[in-house]
Amino acid sequence: MSNVVIVGAQWGDEGKGKVVDLFTSWADVVVRYQGGANAGHTLVVGGVKTVLHLVPSGILHPGKRCYIGNGVVVDPEALCEEIDLLKGKNLMQDPAQLVVSENAHVILPYHKRIDAGREARSGAAKIGTTGRGIGPAYEDKVARRGIRMRDLLQPKVLRDKLTARLDEANAQIASLGGEKVELEAVLSRALELGEKIAAHVGDCSERLAHEIERGRAVLFEGAQGTLLDIDHGTYPYVTSSNTVAGNAAVGAGVGPTVIHSVVGISKAYTTRVGNGPLPTELTDALGERLRTVGAEFGATTGRPRRCGWLDALVLKYAARVNGMNGLVLTKLDVLTGLDEVKIAVSYKLPNGKTVTSFPSDPEQLGEAQPVYETLPGWKEPLGDLREWSELPASTRRYVERVEQLVGVEVIAVSVGAERQQTIVRKNPFRHG
Ligand code: GDP
Ligand code: IMO
Ligand code: MG
């Protein structure tokens, strides 16, 4: 059996949760490897919607193991809420189904206050973060002053670490005009949450190694998307982790040689929530139509998503930096009813040059004018179709053109939010 990484090929919210849920039927284990509760992964099964922020999207499959790797920043408050929600739905009855790495860093109230304070201070230049404390928690990790899951289980250790950290954190909060946090309050709540999560805390890296040794198939679930990657995204309008497939190994504690295949997820159009360049953004009635028909409002913050046409330059770039060998196109149904559909195939830059690859210079990107290729649209609703051959000819032509432009095989298309509303052309676990 092979091991597969699922990664967002755009700016997040591509439908990764739905695809991971579906592909879990072929996997034994699902692992989140980066990000935190900034993610919102939506699963719809039998008309019931579940939005997950930290727990891997394989959790609806009884008996399949879910791991939260060392590379994730875990908000214990959000994790407990999610565990309670799942238990309330009679899911995850066996605590052994979910394991959280003892080395995963923890998000505490001061991280959220710093995040909110900075955003409020930045005015129009703000990143537009989810306010979940992600950036400040990763900063602490890199600065070697972070608190980890293991620390929540050791009162003395936690007290010492928080005591060492809070003076500086509070000075920063105060400088941003926020309300300081209080040591005893943070400590007692963190210990309480630690106790609740204790049964799930373990050595993910070692357990994963055992699973892989026994030939179990592992699905690595990316959060955010390639263009939000801290190194490869539209910096500084990015998140604070490496979202690309290469980080799956680091964030799960396995070697890169265990990964056989990388599947990128893209919508059939483009969306972005938060600030930063979006070359194909439509600010007209068509953009509004995509937002309404596609229900493009953030699963974590409820913010309206910015919408636009599909961008082949973005997908080619994502294919390169992730080493993608499969692509899934979601939300094809949202394009139904349009007379014509467009794909950006190049950008015209202010210096008069035309480029066909994604520019790394943010100044150029901000000014880039997309040049579109126009294809015929289709009128038929797609939601009930389950075979590739049943799709309207112009839908197939659209998908095939994307394949050609990106140079990566489209292994599945999604025609609705439900798990079953998917046409799978190739099982990615058979690649390797
Ligand atoms: P993720 O963050 O990549 O997991 O994506 P989100 O869950 O944030 O956003 C994707 C949204 O699109 C969710 O509301 C899904 O239920 C929905 N969705 C996924 N695939 C499809 C599809 O093929 N068609 C439609 N109409 N909705 C979809
Ligand atoms: P999923 O996994 C879409 C965006 C935020 C902001 C930037 C930085 O559901 O695809 P952060 O809170 O991470 O510091 O915010 O990243 N962002 C996402 N956008 N989907 C996500 O996750 C996102 N997670 C963060 O809107 O622009
Ligand atoms: Mg999302």
Side-chain angles (χ1 to χ4, degrees):
M1 254 306 180
S2 59
N3 304 314
V4 175
V5 181
I6 295 288
V7 68
Q10 300 167 307
W11 280 273
D13 300 329
E14 299 91 347
K16 298 175 293 294
K18 176 195 158 151
V19 175
V20 169
D21 168 62
L22 181 74
F23 285 6
T24 299
S25 55
W26 295 312
D28 301 295
V29 182
V30 184
V31 196
R32 273 280 306 270
Y33 58 87
Q34 47 67 234
N38 49 350
H41 295 180
T42 314
L43 326 179
V44 185
V45 182
V48 179
K49 178 167 153 176
T50 307
V51 181
L52 298 169
H53 302 285
L54 282 163
V55 173
S57 299
I59 201 72
L60 300 193
H61 296 251
K64 308 270 167 133
R65 287 280 164 105
C66 289
Y67 292 89
I68 296 177
N70 55 275
V72 175
V73 281
V74 179
D75 177 348
E77 215 57 86
L79 181 60
C80 280
E81 253 172 52
E82 217 163 299
I83 291 172
D84 288 346
L85 182 124
L86 290 166
K87 284 188 178 156
K89 288 186 169 191
N90 272 337
L91 296 161
M92 215 180 75
Q93 291 306 309
D94 176 9
Q97 209 192 336
L98 177 70
V99 183
V100 185
S101 168
E102 52 207 4
N103 287 343
H105 280 249
V106 167
I107 297 186
L108 291 167
Y110 51 92
H111 295 120
K112 291 187 230 177
R113 289 193 197 177
I114 295 170
D115 191 356
R118 268 196 205 138
E119 286 283 279
R121 275 286 164 98
S122 303
K126 70 179 180 184
I127 306 290
T129 73
T130 59
R132 298 296 189 269
I134 305 295
Y138 276 119
E139 284 168 36
D140 277 3
K141 172 177 177 172
V142 175
R144 296 162 294 187
R145 59 179 184 222
I147 310 277
R148 300 191 288 175
M149 282 307 302
R150 56 170 69 250
D151 302 326
L152 297 197
L153 312 181
Q154 303 181 75
K156 166 89 175 70
V157 173
L158 185 61
R159 175 178 288 278
D160 290 349
K161 290 193 175 175
L162 277 175
T163 305
R165 175 73 189 107
L166 283 195
D167 277 353
E168 208 181 305
N170 272 330
Q172 198 173 9
I173 293 170
S175 78
L176 294 165
E179 200 185 322
K180 292 183 184 179
V181 297
E182 208 262 309
L183 171 68
E184 294 305 327
V186 175
L187 179 67
S188 64
R189 182 63 182 152
L191 289 172
E192 197 182 326
L193 293 166
E195 223 167 274
K196 279 184 82 173
I197 304 168
H200 298 283
V201 180
D203 187 336
C204 281
S205 165
E206 193 188 27
R207 288 178 192 218
L208 268 173
H210 282 301
E211 306 265 17
I212 292 165
E213 249 170 53
R214 284 193 228 134
R216 305 240 164 101
V218 182
L219 186 52
F220 296 87
E221 176 179 6
Q224 291 78 55
T226 304
L227 280 301
L228 290 171
D229 182 283
I230 185 75
D231 285 289
H232 305 290
T234 46
Y235 192 90
Y237 296 100
V238 293
T239 190
S240 299
S241 65
N242 283 112
T243 61
V244 293
N247 192 35
V250 179
V254 299
T257 45
V258 308
I259 295 166
H260 302 97
S261 133
V262 176
V263 177
I265 316 297
S266 168
K267 278 177 189 164
Y269 47 98
T270 306
T271 67
R272 170 167 206 171
V273 61
N275 294 337
L278 184 60
T280 62
E281 182 168 14
L282 295 166
T283 50
D284 57 3
L286 197 51
E288 191 54 47
R289 183 199 176 278
L290 289 174
R291 183 158 38 250
T292 310
V293 178
E296 295 297 354
F297 296 88
T300 296
T301 59
R303 291 178 292 175
R305 295 176 184 145
R306 301 154 64 193
C307 300
W309 292 119
L310 192 68
D311 189 331
L313 288 78
V314 165
L315 296 187
K316 274 197 295 185
Y317 176 73
R320 171 160 70 79
V321 294
N322 289 293
M324 258 158 56
N325 49 7
L327 184 64
V328 176
L329 269 192
T330 64
K331 300 194 117 171
L332 262 181
D333 53 301
V334 175
L335 297 183
T336 284
L338 298 172
D339 291 330
E340 43 188 37
V341 283
K342 295 188 183 189
I343 307 173
V345 291
S346 60
Y347 297 155
K348 205 164 180 359
L349 301 178
N351 61 12
K353 281 200 180 140
T354 298
V355 291
T356 54
S357 32
F358 195 70
S360 60
D361 177 350
E363 305 298 321
Q364 283 191 340
L365 194 59
E367 305 275 315
Q369 289 300 317
V371 178
Y372 290 108
E373 185 172 300
T374 303
L375 288 94
W378 57 90
K379 299 289 176 201
E380 300 85 338
L382 309 182
D384 292 332
L385 308 183
R386 297 291 176 270
E387 298 290 332
W388 174 250
S389 58
E390 292 171 351
L391 286 172
S394 24
T395 316
R396 276 181 277 144
R397 192 168 151 200
Y398 181 71
V399 175
E400 280 160 2
R401 186 64 186 133
V402 174
E403 253 176 355
Q404 261 175 10
L405 287 166
V406 184
V408 176
E409 199 178 359
V410 173
I411 65 161
V413 297
S414 173
V415 292
E418 268 283 341
R419 183 192 278 171
Q420 299 311 329
Q421 289 181 299
T422 322
I423 298 171
V424 180
R425 301 169 76 196
K426 188 168 181 176
N427 175 345
F429 287 90
R430 298 224 180 98
H431 272 192

